[in-house]
Amino acid sequence: MTLIANEQVTLKARLDATLAGYAYSGTWFGLASVNPVNSFAGNRAWGEGWLNLGIDAVVRLHPWMEVYAGVGVGASGTLGADSYDQRNQGAISLENAFAGLRTRNPASAWNIDVSCGQQDYGVGTGMLIWQGVGNGFERGAGGLMPRLAWENATVARVSYGGLSVEAFYLDPNELRSSDTHTRLAGGVAQYRWGEKSRVGFAALHVLESDMFYPLPRDPTGIPGGRKGLDALQGFAQIEGSNFGVNNAWLRGEFAIERNRWIDMAAYAWYGEAGYRFVTLPLVPAISYAYAHFSGDDPSTARYERFDPLYYGNGLDNWWFGASSSYAFLNSNVDYHRVTLQLLVTQQDYVKVQYLRAFADRLSSPIQFGQATRPVLTPAGVTLTNGVANHHLDDEVYVEWAHVFSPHWTTALWSSVAMPGQGIRDLPNVNSATWCAAGITLKVKY
């Protein structure tokens, strides 16, 4: 909401609040049964909340130059025990605090934008760089995952028309309980045309990190394996009007990762095609997407496991499934995703997604951070890792969203994730179908 608006100063207040309720059964596909002394309850229900209050200011120094800044405080919390068995956790902390300088020339002229501080920043649609902060655990709201801002995102951008080139330095705002002390820097070149078409390339280098890389059947793994990582990313999104098929879209992305210090060579890629039938009732939009994230081959000395870094940006982008995304993350996994979206009314939207997930490499870590674990079998204690069958799960997700006004929205959703043969064959696991449901109410001014 605008507090002050004149030729020299604009001052706006921000309010962003969300309440959510969740109910799970068969949580984590029953994988907690691997540990017989674990009292983890597969059936659970809990609530979450998020409140962000902030102020944004713009001061015009000249008709073609202005200074801008923002500050905000976020409060997040969980009532009850969430899917990670974290009970009644929450935190109040600075959510953003940044300042910048930018020019206001027409798009047909050169412009610059330099900013620094605790702010949001993403590359492309979030394949590697998006969620610059840790959510859940001691901060609560692990289901909502509302926090986005990096502890320090310093960005310098030069643009001319649809072309932009930028450099960044990022320090993530990680959880104190799992701080990897990662620092990274890089650059992005991007060209946009039309309303939604663009193509771009990004490169980044991890300057510092204590992030542990797991290895198949080796509990020691690679301490600090992320330090020295180099990544090259490319992304493209093209609207159908650019190739003669209106209401269609194509999207593709890839990332190549190398780290000469640990002999790492990993990669990932994503492709999507979709079409909206504007003449049919409910204006259905259908899309198919496939994503591949390489896993570490146990038979080689080279490390091939893809590091997803700080990905994000929702279920239509880099979160694959409401439950599957938490169970497998974007490493050593292949995803097929079919999405149907319906426009029921101008205020009601329905989304249905079907997801099928497979492990890329067998007997190799799946969820990022998963280490080799001891399992008691009839033959004695053995070390195991990953799965022995590629099929991980099938998930169906359904969501109904209603827009009360531009400021008030609500959503009801549910998902059923059925374990695949890879999960069902794990030793000492009483596998279960993971059913989940939730409701959210959002207010934004």
Side-chain angles (χ1 to χ4, degrees), residues 231-254:
L232 176 66
Q233 178 187 357
F235 51 92
Q237 182 173 339
I238 303 175
E239 289 297 295
S241 58
N242 290 277
F243 51 87
V245 184
N246 291 334
N247 307 312
W249 68 90
L250 295 175
R251 177 178 156 197
E253 306 201 26
F254 74 87

Side-chain angles (χ1 to χ4, degrees), residues 379-404:
V381 176
T382 62
L383 291 176
T384 186
N385 210 313
V387 294
N389 184 286
H390 287 282
H391 186 201
L392 294 174
D393 86 326
D394 294 271
E395 180 175 346
V396 177
Y397 173 85
V398 180
E399 176 187 293
W400 166 75
H402 179 77
V403 179
F404 293 103

Side-chain angles (χ1 to χ4, degrees), residues 126-131 308-312 318-319 325 329-330:
M127 184 180 195
L128 292 175
I129 302 297
W130 194 269
Q131 193 119 17
L309 289 170
Y310 299 93
Y311 71 95
W318 297 101
W319 285 95
S325 57
L329 306 184
N330 293 349

